[in-house]
Amino acid sequence: MIDHHQFLSRAAQHFQESAIRKTGALVGRIPDLISFAAGVPATEMFPYDELREISDELLGSRDGNVLQYGATRGYRPLIDQLVEYLAQWGMTTRPDEFIITSGSQQGLDLAGRILLDPGDVVLVELPTYSGAVAAFQNQQATLVGVAQDAEGLSIEALESTVADLRAKHQRPRFVYVTPNFQNPSGILMSGPRRRALLEAAARLDVMILEDDPYGSIYFTDATRAEETRPIKADDRDGRVIYLGTISKTLVPGFRVGWMVAPPVFAERLELAKQAIDLHSGIFDQRVVHATLVRGVVQSLAPTLRAHYQAKRTVMEQALRSHLGDRMQWLSPRGGFFLWAKFDGVDDRALFDRAIEEKVSFVIGSAFFVNGEGHQYARLSFSQPTHARIEEGVKRLGRALAASQQTK
């Protein structure tokens, strides 16, 4: 047999499987598994009737353009509508800054393709989204973590990290952040910290890659809409590349995301995308455009906030009831995730025990680029029902107790 490994590129030889995808693969293979792993929307919140009506109209028109190839940049009416949609978050954008992507994950890949050469440094939060780690590592980048606190990325740590890198003649290309209900920590970066980050990036001459999938899913018991104002909204010199998606606020099956970038970058992003897929699905874009025009996304948002806020509350109450002080967490003010900390147990050992109890989560160390995080777990409350959240936390409590007894 041929040794096919010899034909792989150096980059491909080091590709890493996503810890989230790996954990998610257990669903269906283990009967009655309760998953706190996948950060996926609740299917009961999908606007089936509205989507069916829009789809019937588009297909019923017999307009071949609905199912034809589209422009690499994206469906222009959708881009024009996004200019208006993003204005509600304080963003002033132009159509020539946009490129439609196959979900925001493709945006991360494209950003890496146009900004990174092998060995270049990317600064990421500690912890950070594992999908971004994969995208940048696939470009053979070096990832360096920057500490967070309760208000988000530490500016002091950022400046110190950049100084250390420059002393080694290394220049970071950009800093990747998720300021709104960060995946995995759930942290909401404060307004002053956002402005300080923008000022620091200008002073240090680094770009900011802002990922914003959860900004509109803020919990009204603790968060005001203005607190989720994107960093991009205050960007006056093209310092920020902004990523958005419809996956968390409409449906993830429509792979529609967007990038807002300075025109010079947008041109290169378009060229990079041409080599990958030529275009994003035009039918998906036409449906998303119609939902924005008709206000489906906008009218659904308050219901989503209430729905996920209630699930967050159920999980927190269950954790207090069944785990007491054996697990600590920062109460999430939006998004899909609760970032839990436990003492005296390795996250991998706890995961193994949890699978025996038929409950899953994502190990905390999967989100750290410095080998740390083994005392954390990411618990997603977005998909399970209230009853399944309650039962899943009971099972997690048993797994944690067993782990602590055998350490």
Side-chain angles (χ1 to χ4, degrees):
M1 291 291 292
I2 296 174
D3 178 12
H4 293 102
H5 291 89
Q6 66 178 309
F7 297 101
L8 291 172
S9 68
R10 286 191 297 273
Q13 291 175 17
H14 294 91
F15 285 175
Q16 299 292 320
E17 182 179 10
S18 166
I20 299 173
R21 298 285 84 78
K22 184 177 181 179
T23 306
L26 296 172
V27 177
R29 299 207 320 240
I30 300 177
D32 193 38
L33 178 73
I34 297 176
S35 176
F36 293 147
V40 298
T43 56
E44 64 268 26
M45 300 306 294
F46 294 164
Y48 292 101
D49 292 338
E50 293 88 343
L51 294 177
R52 183 178 64 247
E53 180 181 337
I54 291 168
S55 298
D56 287 347
E57 289 180 13
L58 288 172
L59 296 176
S61 70
R62 299 283 177 171
D63 178 359
N65 291 323
V66 171
L67 299 175
Q68 193 49 275
Y69 289 114
T72 304
R73 284 270 181 139
Y75 181 53
R76 179 56 188 264
L78 172 59
I79 291 174
D80 291 340
Q81 196 64 36
L82 285 171
V83 170
E84 180 179 327
Y85 177 70
L86 294 180
Q88 70 178 310
W89 307 109
M91 295 175 60
T92 301
T93 59
R94 303 193 313 269
D96 66 342
E97 297 174 307
F98 277 82
I99 184 163
I100 301 299
T101 60
S102 297
S104 58
Q105 182 65 36
Q106 187 184 53
L108 295 171
D109 178 79
L110 289 171
R113 288 173 185 266
I114 72 160
L115 296 177
L116 297 173
D117 290 316
D120 281 346
V121 173
V122 177
L123 301 175
V124 299
E125 297 158 310
L126 286 176
T128 193
Y129 171 49
S130 60
V133 172
F136 305 146
Q137 285 185 339
N138 285 356
Q139 301 301 320
Q140 301 180 63
T142 299
L143 275 61
V144 176
V146 180
Q148 295 187 91
D149 57 28
E151 292 191 57
L153 189 81
S154 166
I155 304 303
E156 180 180 353
L158 174 65
E159 293 177 331
S160 175
T161 301
V162 172
D164 289 344
L165 288 168
R166 288 183 173 165
K168 302 173 186 176
H169 306 289
Q170 293 178 296
R171 177 192 174 193
R173 305 296 291 179
F174 60 86
V175 54
Y176 168 72
V177 293
T178 307
N180 289 324
F181 318 115
Q182 195 236 18
N183 179 1
S185 70
I187 290 174
L188 174 63
M189 187 181 291
S190 70
R193 185 65 57 85
R194 294 173 194 237
R195 292 186 289 274
L197 174 58
L198 194 56
E199 293 168 0
R203 188 167 61 251
L204 299 171
D205 194 24
V206 296
M207 295 294 297
I208 296 173
L209 183 60
E210 179 181 14
D211 197 0
D212 190 18
Y214 305 103
S216 61
I217 307 177
Y218 56 89
F219 300 154
T220 55
D221 64 346
T223 311
R224 297 168 298 172
E226 54 266 31
E227 291 182 84
T228 64
R229 178 182 174 89
I231 298 170
K232 182 66 177 174
D234 296 307
D235 179 23
R236 299 292 176 259
D237 60 356
R239 182 68 57 180
V240 181
I241 299 174
Y242 179 85
L243 303 178
T245 180
I246 211 71
S247 294
K248 306 301 188 292
T249 53
L250 187 64
V251 292
F254 291 148
R255 304 304 299 138
V256 178
W258 52 87
M259 302 183 76
V260 183
V264 171
F265 288 166
E267 292 170 4
R268 296 296 168 176
L269 290 166
E270 181 178 11
L271 294 176
K273 194 172 189 296
Q274 285 176 1
I276 300 171
D277 64 4
L278 288 180
H279 59 276
S280 301
I282 190 65
F283 180 71
D284 292 4
Q285 293 180 69
R286 295 285 292 263
V287 174
V288 171
H289 169 254
T291 63
L292 290 172
V293 169
R294 301 182 187 193
V296 175
V297 175
Q298 298 89 325
S299 62
L300 186 59
T303 306
L304 292 177
R305 292 170 195 137
H307 186 81
Y308 294 122
Q309 178 176 317
K311 287 189 172 184
R312 182 279 319 264
T313 300
V314 168
M315 177 169 277
E316 289 192 312
Q317 290 174 342
L319 287 171
R320 295 188 189 98
S321 176
H322 300 293
L323 280 85
D325 60 359
R326 291 178 293 155
M327 187 170 282
Q328 299 82 44
W329 65 92
L330 179 68
S331 182
R333 298 170 58 193
F336 284 2
F337 308 111
L338 186 147
W339 185 236
K341 182 180 180 181
F342 42 86
D343 296 319
V345 177
D346 181 87
D347 59 345
R348 295 159 297 189
L350 177 59
F351 179 81
D352 291 341
R353 284 285 189 177
I355 293 301
E356 292 177 5
E357 295 287 345
K358 295 188 177 182
V359 61
S360 67
F361 56 87
V362 183
I363 58 174
S365 54
F367 302 98
F368 283 78
V369 297
N370 63 353
E372 298 179 354
H374 289 286
Q375 72 275 38
Y376 291 98
R378 192 193 77 173
L379 307 178
S380 175
F381 49 78
S382 58
Q383 188 179 40
T385 64
H386 290 194
R388 295 287 278 178
I389 291 173
E390 177 76 25
E391 174 59 26
V393 171
K394 285 183 183 178
R395 298 178 184 183
L396 182 61
R398 293 197 295 267
L400 182 58
S403 298
Q404 290 174 329
Q405 289 171 3
T406 59
K407 68 172 184 173

